[in-house]
Amino acid sequence: MTCWDVISDYGLRSLGFGERLLPRDDFTICKQVVLIGSGMIWNVYFGTVALLAGFFLAVGTAVAKASANPLIRKPAEWFIFVFRGSPLFIQFFFAYFAFVSLKGAVPALGGLTAAWLGAVIVLFLNTAAYSAEIFYGALMSIPKGDIEAADAYGMTGWKRFRRITFPTMMRLAWPSYTNEAIFLFHATTLVFFSGFPSRGQMGDALYYANYFADKTFNPFVPYPILACYFIILTLIVIGIFGLVNARLNRHLPQQNRGKLRLRLNLIR
Amino acid sequence: MKKLILGTAITALTAGAALAEGHSVVRLGTEGAYPPYNFINDAGEVDGFERALGDELCARAELTCEWVTNDWDSIIPNLVSGNYDAIIAGMSITDERLEVIDFTENYTQPDPSAYLALADADVDLSSAVIAAQAATIQASYAAGEGMTVLEFATPEESVAAVRAGEADAVLADRAYLAPLAEAEADLAFTGENVLIGGGVGMGIRQSDTELRDKFTAAIQSMKADGSLNALIEEWEIGELF
Amino acid sequence: MGATIFSYCSDPSTIEGLKWLSCYLTTGKHISMYWSFGTVLLLLAITAPTALAFGFAGATAARSRIAPVSWIGKGYTAIVRGVPDIAFFLFFVIALDQLFEWIRHEVKCPDWTDPIRQGNDFVVCTEAKLPLGNAAAWVHDTYAFFLAVLTFSIVFGAFAANVLTGAMRAVPRAQIETGEAYGMTERQTFWRIMVPQMWVYALPGLSNLWMVLIKATPLLFLLGIEDIVYWARDLGATKTPKFTDYPHGDWRMWYFLALLVFYLCFTKLSEIVLDRINRRLTLGQATAAGEAQRKAAA
């Protein structure tokens, strides 16, 4: 069995395609690399969906936290506090518990107990809370002069937010937000590890790494493979976020760009 | 004459000391979360069938033993790395494991696995969703049989999944499920028992043949005088020898 | 059934209500759980400064003019930050333990001829074992704790190094130049000007790291430490009358709820303390916040 065969058999195993059974003997490096890589599909899926959806909730929550009206501010503060103040793993536990009970009451919501939906919701709320705190910090440090200048031009409300507040907030928050994205992708490994059940042996990268460690009793091969995958994923995330950062700062003089990046690494 | 006796006594003593030096204290690794084999009792100590068995084996082999708990996932890597000297944790003797560690003679008969489902449910096992603990022999067995397996991190969660209706039945060691089926009215065994693993034995490093032979001898002596059967009956582990 | 705190607990099957609960919550196993809160707090208390030291070393190395030292510093932060902490914890403790034993083996038993790796086994001479084979149980526990602290410190030290690197660069260049103008050497400007001033820039990042560290403690069980989550899982699981005097159903929810409250309170407390430190550190600094404090006082 060449490595190409292994790729066609197990490359999409984490989604349920290819061989039905996981390898039971002859655990070659190739098999481990392919299956763990196959599991990465889930990690990327969880991270990307939660991050994209979480972004919008985070911006909304950050603005709500900055609101003068306590009816809007208090819920935002509590939401951020609860999700930032407790370990993700406990959040998974309660979410799964709640989803199972909900399924009993409303059978139409059955999909929630599956990882592809339920875990995404938890990760979405979690990253929204963390990002909201970052965005709120950035919102608070927008230079007063920017807002005053907008007022002078007669901009108010939505227009001022869209043209002035929001872009500046993004620019200030972006380096910390990059860190949050990295943390989120790492957190996706917890989904099957202590959160949701894996169905039909379809799991994420850590699930398969764990499978191999359990079969070969040698943790020194599968976990470093997993680590390599994540280092690559982290580099890709940093690269993409770097491009966005460059775009956010494209109007600034060349020298200031670097400086912004460094100073703002500190918020998270 | 007196001197000579003293001399032999000293040699005997030092020889004993030299022997013991390899294993002055034998550390026994267990999981502590798998009643009736091993669990942590109300007082916070390791208890169960294997606690009683291990203490007796150590007494017979004239070893000083100490109990250590370790997470199931890393229980074999920690043994081969030398963090304890033997695994006594309801571990079935399988070919996969034999490639990495040695086992003593088995101290239980092959333990059947069983399906536990809701008492009032009529489960068709061939098309059922089966809950199991992740990375157990039961999980890979059910996957091999073509069932849809739902894998949970702990056995507790896999039983909870049956209650919640997430899975139709849970597949686990019968000895683990039996007390639950007995105590909880809403759960009952369904279908036939399945024989998956071999008997349970103590896991020992492959380089440590001396310790393996000592424990095997002790197990044999317990089998011979019926004290092992007495323990198996007391803890309702399964079939007798 | 073992020692009990209240005399009426000797036969739990006959009592009920609050009395039962008071007995249940004072079993030896529950006491172990309460102790584990202490273990977690102690681990945090030791890990935080150790990780900071690792971070400081990493950040300083990354700034070094000597290329290999700089590579080590940068590589350390880049690699460790890129890997999820669980993946690290799953194999790192065993690796560290084997490394220490191998070093001791080389030093203590130079005459040893057998290979260290015999098949799958890792075998060192008896004198090199860590802790020694006949050591008391508490020595083993302490060693496991030490390994856990070290592993946590290495992981979080990488994040701290990242924060400190940023903080060192954030100290205004003019401050360093002033020092140089006074005839200070590079070493002197580093220790007397940069290091005292960088903390205010590093604090927000370090505070966040502290919060992340608190929330990583549920992973301690992977490192062989019996932490609060381990006990909550064990105690909350269904207990049948056969193995306990206090049978109950699946109570994990209540135990996890208690943990949730603990973590929320601990986070809140940390926020309050860190806020105070921040205000203290800002005093007299050349930042907007420091300026605001100065004006408010004047």
Side-chain angles (χ1 to χ4, degrees), chain A residues 58 79-80 83-86 88 91 125-135 180 268, chain C residues 208 211-212 215:
Chain A
F79 169 70
I80 294 176
F83 276 92
R84 283 183 83 230
S86 58
L88 179 59
Q91 293 166 20
L125 292 173
N126 186 278
T127 187
Y130 273 94
S131 315
E133 184 65 23
I134 294 170
F135 292 156
E180 164 55 26
R268 175 153 181 152
Chain C
N208 232 315
M211 301 292 181
V212 177
K215 276 161 278 166

Side-chain angles (χ1 to χ4, degrees), chain A residues 172-253:
Chain A
L172 293 175
W174 204 254
S176 312
Y177 190 56
T178 311
N179 267 346
E180 164 55 26
I182 296 171
F183 274 113
L184 178 69
F185 276 102
H186 289 183
T188 57
T189 51
L190 267 176
V191 171
F192 293 112
F193 194 74
S194 69
F196 287 70
S198 66
R199 198 182 177 89
Q201 300 193 307
M202 293 181 266
D204 75 331
L206 185 66
Y207 173 87
Y208 290 118
N210 212 1
Y211 176 83
F212 284 116
D214 190 74
K215 292 288 173 212
T216 59
F217 309 105
N218 181 1
F220 296 122
V221 177
Y223 294 127
I225 293 176
L226 174 74
C228 287
Y229 273 119
F230 266 95
I231 290 173
I232 295 169
L233 180 63
T234 307
L235 289 177
I236 295 174
V237 170
I238 291 176
I240 294 175
F241 274 71
L243 288 180
V244 178
N245 190 50
R247 184 169 165 78
L248 283 173
N249 290 319
R250 68 190 183 282
H251 61 287
L252 293 180

Side-chain angles (χ1 to χ4, degrees), chain C residues 270-287:
Chain C
S270 303
E271 268 178 6
I272 294 170
V273 172
L274 287 168
D275 202 42
R276 271 208 192 149
I277 298 178
N278 191 23
R279 244 178 288 153
R280 177 78 55 85
L281 273 183
T282 314
L283 204 64
Q285 288 286 349
T287 59

Side-chain angles (χ1 to χ4, degrees), chain C residues 158-186:
Chain C
F159 287 98
N162 184 45
V163 171
L164 291 180
T165 309
M168 285 177 181
R169 291 201 203 140
V171 174
R173 180 82 195 116
Q175 300 269 344
I176 312 284
E177 277 164 4
T178 313
E180 280 164 359
Y182 275 95
M184 287 186 180
T185 61
E186 200 177 325

Side-chain angles (χ1 to χ4, degrees), chain B residues 118-190:
Chain B
L118 289 178
D120 50 2
D122 185 25
V123 182
D124 175 17
L125 286 175
S126 56
S127 61
V129 176
I130 302 295
Q133 188 180 3
T136 53
I137 46 176
Q138 285 87 5
S140 38
Y141 169 81
E145 293 292 296
M147 299 162 174
T148 310
V149 199
L150 214 51
E151 285 172 272
F152 291 86
T154 61
E156 173 74 19
E157 284 167 281
S158 58
V159 177
V162 173
R163 277 234 172 79
E166 281 294 286
D168 299 316
V170 50
L171 180 62
D173 285 342
R174 191 178 174 96
Y176 170 76
L177 294 176
L180 287 168
E182 200 178 303
E184 314 283 325
D186 56 338
L187 297 173
F189 283 116
T190 183

